[in-house]
Amino acid sequence: MTASLNARNVIVALVVAGLMLLPLYTSLSGNVFALTLFTRIVIYALAAASLNLIMGYGGMMSFGHAAYLGIGGYAVGILAHEGIGSGFIQWPVALLASALFALVIGALSLRTRGVYFIMITLAFAQMAYYVASGLARYGGDDGLTIYKRSDFGGLINLSNRVQFYYLCVGCLLGGIYLIWRIVNSRFGLVVQGLRSNERRMQAIGFSVNRYRLVCFVISGTICGLAGALLANNTDFVSPAAMYWTRSGDLMVMVVLGGMGSLFGPVLGTIVFLMLEEFLSQITEYWALIMGPLLLLIVLFGRGGIDGLLGRLRRG
Amino acid sequence: MLLVVEQFLNGLQFGLLLFLLAAGLTLVFGIMDFVNLAHGSLYMMGAYFAATFVAWTGNFVLGALLALGATLLLGIVLEFVALRHLYGRDHLDHVLATFGLILFFNDAVRLIWGPAGLALPLPAWLTVPIAIMPGVYYPAYRLAIIVVALVVALLLYLVVMRTRIGMLIRAGASNREMIGALGINIKLLYTLVFGLGAALAGLAGLMQAPILTVQIGMGENILILAFVIIVIGGIGSIRGAFLAAIFVGMIDTLGRAFLPDLLRQVLSSTAASTAAPALSSMLIYLLMAIVLVVRPEGLFPASRR
């Protein structure tokens, strides 16, 4: 893969450099808020990247992806509540639970296509939301406070904001690297082929649902990791993390950044969350602006930010 | 026995309301191939309009009719201004655009009516309990909902099955390109269908308003149920939506009412009281999962595309 000096690559490089150097800026300027904001942005970027794997590359429009944020978060929260504070136990459980959920939901949902698939994934995520709301022992609707972040022994202290931020950035870059490897592997090519022309792939002899299911499970697991990070970030987990509007937010981040591009989700998340932040500083009724803005983006923005940058290159 | 009859009627009432909501959704999807997430917002607007107009006019029926008209108008305006540009696009575009509309409507309602919900009080003649069977009383308003919803369902059936417009609607659900080729004014048909869907959603919202509070985001939860019903019933099929809606309404209501007691027979009391609410909310989705496994295109699909 030859890296050329075009607009897109320059911007991506700048963004990654910016993310790496952010703690330097915040420690110099004392602006801690920027650090907490960007920790949240990086975590959501990881979730958006995982959604991009199945949406952009796989063509599976899942409207229930926020469920994995909740499952990963609740794995950490429930174990912490029951006295198991070690990250070495919590995080693998979070990943395993997300993978299991993705396996079951995927096996059922992938029997459908198109808009049915969108609605089914939405419904299953809402089911997870209602189940979590009904767990009175773990806070139910009010949510569950996590009094101590995941303990990793002497390895890393998650209560230290800077260390936690770098862990999140590391997970994001690691996740993107993993996605890059998957997408460029034979498996990834099959999944992309299935997005392009399912019937032809079937005729060639590929087992459609099996490849899609594996992709779905991988995506859910990565998002479960994001969920565990999120729970640690907010020291709190509640069913609201799984509410369908969160899934919608994730979809917007992916589409905004450009579906099927590697760093698109990162750019999309940054723009979306910063826009949200910026608009809520201006007015309490930020959704009045955000909503129609979204509509306009859908009507006129082809290919998201990544597509825009690509056109600049050719421009 | 009394409880069973009452819950049965509650289930029927809930199912019929869900049908009104799902019918609009399945019509719009079946004919225009348009996924409208903002349908829940129209449901919410119907309730808010009703609360406002009933307070203004002081008359429940008049206020309800005005609210119905207002929601119909809102639907038509929405279709004309924003949504008609999205026909023919990918479903994902529909989902994202209408998702933006949901955000917009929620905040618009908050701006105009404030964050606290509204109340829609019932007039005295609707609060009396009516004896449907000797010794069995049921609230008049809930009976009214059942009657109105059944009448509307019947009207919908007559319109769709026995009029020319209905024939166009059914033809559109089966084969969209063909009716365009046959020279029908597609744009007008689409606008009318969307308006009809909006009116049905508004009706469901305003009828439900006195029972549940009128609040921001009330449409979202019930919209998911409407989607589940459409999946179970088959997209584009009103008959499927009707049967699936009644079924879902019954299962949800009866499940929530009787599952805790059933579980208490089998499990310990504490386990039952924790498991019951979670399980009863899951019932609908389990049902949907079963239908998906057995018959992914729905129980009564409209077309054989």
Side-chain angles (χ1 to χ4, degrees):
Chain A
M1 187 179 83
T2 49
S4 41
L5 203 71
N6 53 41
R8 186 207 281 138
N9 288 353
V10 168
I11 299 242
V12 167
L14 282 176
V15 165
V16 173
L19 285 177
M20 299 292 279
L21 293 175
L22 184 76
L24 199 62
Y25 159 73
T26 55
S27 61
L28 285 177
S29 68
N31 185 358
V32 180
F33 173 68
L35 190 60
T36 47
L37 175 65
F38 270 89
T39 311
R40 195 163 70 98
I41 288 180
V42 166
I43 295 175
Y44 272 105
L46 179 62
S50 73
L51 181 59
N52 183 35
L53 178 62
I54 50 171
M55 253 178 63
Y57 292 108
M60 297 174 258
M61 312 297 172
S62 163
F63 207 146
H65 222 64
Y68 305 105
L69 285 178
I71 290 174
Y74 264 100
V76 170
I78 290 179
L79 285 174
H81 187 87
E82 300 296 345
I84 303 174
S86 165
F88 293 112
I89 300 180
Q90 287 177 345
W91 287 28
V93 169
L95 293 175
L96 197 63
S98 309
L100 225 62
F101 187 74
L103 186 65
V104 174
I105 298 304
L108 287 170
S109 313
L110 285 168
R111 299 172 68 86
T112 61
R113 295 285 178 272
V115 71
Y116 284 99
F117 183 75
I118 297 178
M119 293 181 191
I120 280 28
T121 47
L122 172 61
F124 279 128
Q126 272 306 89
M127 180 187 82
Y129 168 80
Y130 285 126
V131 170
S133 297
L135 291 175
R137 182 179 165 78
Y138 301 115
D141 238 351
D142 296 327
L144 187 61
T145 313
I146 300 173
Y147 292 101
K148 261 192 62 170
R149 293 193 177 179
S150 302
D151 184 15
F152 280 102
L155 222 60
I156 182 170
N157 177 16
L158 292 188
S159 304
N160 180 320
R161 277 208 192 92
V162 177
Q163 287 188 30
F164 184 61
Y165 173 76
Y166 275 121
L167 177 66
C168 295
V169 172
C171 286
L172 174 64
L173 294 176
I176 291 185
Y177 176 69
L178 180 66
I179 290 173
W180 179 66
R181 289 300 299 263
I182 290 175
V183 163
N184 287 318
S185 71
R186 184 178 172 276
F187 170 79
L189 289 175
V190 171
V191 169
Q192 288 176 80
L194 287 169
R195 184 198 71 215
S196 294
N197 195 329
E198 187 181 316
R199 200 160 283 183
R200 184 180 290 171
M201 296 297 283
Q202 228 172 351
I204 299 176
F206 287 108
S207 161
V208 176
N209 282 346
R210 208 170 294 176
Y211 277 91
R212 283 201 158 141
L213 186 59
V214 173
C215 194
F216 196 78
V217 170
I218 294 175
S219 165
T221 314
I222 298 176
C223 200
L225 175 64
L229 287 171
L230 194 63
N232 273 290
N233 188 36
T234 50
D235 297 309
F236 179 71
V237 63
S238 86
M242 295 195 260
Y243 200 54
W244 71 315
T245 45
R246 297 295 178 96
S247 297
D249 288 344
L250 284 175
M251 281 180 120
V252 173
M253 292 177 208
V254 173
V255 172
L256 190 57
M259 290 211 294
S261 73
L262 209 53
F263 277 95
V266 179
L267 298 174
T269 310
I270 293 178
V271 170
F272 182 79
L273 285 178
M274 292 204 73
L275 196 63
E276 206 180 74
E277 197 60 45
F278 175 65
L279 284 176
S280 24
Q281 308 259 357
I282 298 181
T283 165
E284 196 191 326
Y285 300 103
W286 55 271
L288 271 180
I289 305 175
M290 194 71 150
L293 202 62
L294 214 55
L295 183 60
L296 289 173
I297 290 173
V298 167
L299 281 175
F300 300 115
R302 296 282 186 178
I305 296 177
D306 189 83
L308 188 68
L309 292 176
R311 281 196 292 276
L312 276 178
R313 170 170 38 125
R314 255 170 272 130
Chain B
M1 176 56 193
L2 177 66
L3 190 62
V4 172
V5 172
E6 191 183 332
Q7 292 304 332
F8 182 80
L9 284 173
N10 283 350
L12 183 64
Q13 173 232 310
F14 188 45
L16 284 171
L17 271 166
L18 285 174
F19 164 67
L20 289 178
L21 201 60
L25 207 56
T26 202
L27 268 179
V28 166
F29 187 75
I31 298 178
M32 287 114 81
D33 200 21
F34 184 74
V35 184
N36 184 15
L37 290 184
H39 204 68
S41 299
L42 290 167
Y43 168 88
M44 177 179 71
M45 294 310 291
Y48 267 92
F49 282 145
T52 312
F53 287 132
V54 168
W56 278 1
T57 62
N59 183 326
F60 185 76
V61 177
L62 183 61
L65 286 173
L66 284 174
L68 202 59
T71 316
L72 175 65
L73 202 63
L74 178 65
I76 291 181
V77 166
L78 196 62
E79 196 265 353
F80 192 76
V81 168
L83 300 178
R84 62 165 44 178
H85 308 286
L86 289 167
Y87 296 147
R89 297 263 213 126
D90 197 26
H91 288 149
L92 181 63
D93 286 347
H94 298 166
V95 165
L96 291 174
T98 47
F99 178 69
L101 282 177
I102 293 178
L103 295 179
F104 173 76
F105 273 117
N106 280 346
D107 251 18
V109 165
R110 193 157 64 101
L111 181 65
I112 302 176
W113 281 283
L118 298 178
L120 183 53
L122 285 172
W125 57 276
L126 278 174
T127 50
V128 294
I130 295 192
I132 44 170
M133 273 157 46
V136 177
Y137 288 93
Y138 196 61
Y141 185 64
R142 288 183 185 252
L143 267 181
I145 292 182
I146 293 180
V147 169
V148 169
L150 279 174
V151 166
V152 170
L154 188 65
L155 280 175
L156 199 60
Y157 171 77
L158 287 175
V159 166
V160 169
M161 289 300 185
R162 300 263 184 266
T163 65
R164 189 161 181 278
I165 276 264
M167 181 185 69
L168 292 174
I169 289 178
R170 274 181 293 135
S174 291
N175 195 328
R176 195 172 310 115
E177 287 89 19
M178 189 60 95
I179 47 168
L182 288 172
I184 308 292
N185 186 345
I186 285 291
K187 283 203 175 122
L188 189 60
L189 184 67
Y190 283 3
T191 308
L192 281 177
V193 169
F194 195 85
L196 177 64
L200 287 171
L203 181 64
L206 74 90
M207 287 211 290
Q208 191 74 318
I211 303 180
L212 308 170
T213 47
V214 179
Q215 62 188 18
I216 301 173
M218 63 189 278
E220 287 149 33
N221 295 324
I222 209 162
L223 185 69
I224 312 269
L225 279 182
F227 277 138
V228 169
I229 286 170
I230 293 181
V231 166
I232 294 177
I235 289 189
S237 160
I238 297 192
R239 179 177 46 144
F242 185 74
L243 293 166
I246 303 285
F247 196 36
V248 165
M250 290 289 196
I251 290 204
D252 191 59
T253 311
L254 294 173
R256 283 177 200 276
F258 297 117
L259 197 62
D261 294 324
L262 277 172
L263 280 182
R264 228 162 267 145
Q265 314 270 350
V266 192
L267 302 170
S268 74
S269 184
T270 36
S273 48
T274 32
L279 204 58
S280 33
S281 19
M282 272 175 65
L283 270 179
I284 307 292
Y285 303 104
L286 285 175
L287 176 66
M288 182 182 69
I290 293 173
V291 170
L292 273 177
V293 167
V294 171
R295 218 173 128 93
E297 68 274 7
L299 296 174
F300 305 96
S303 63
R304 285 136 292 279
R305 250 177 271 168

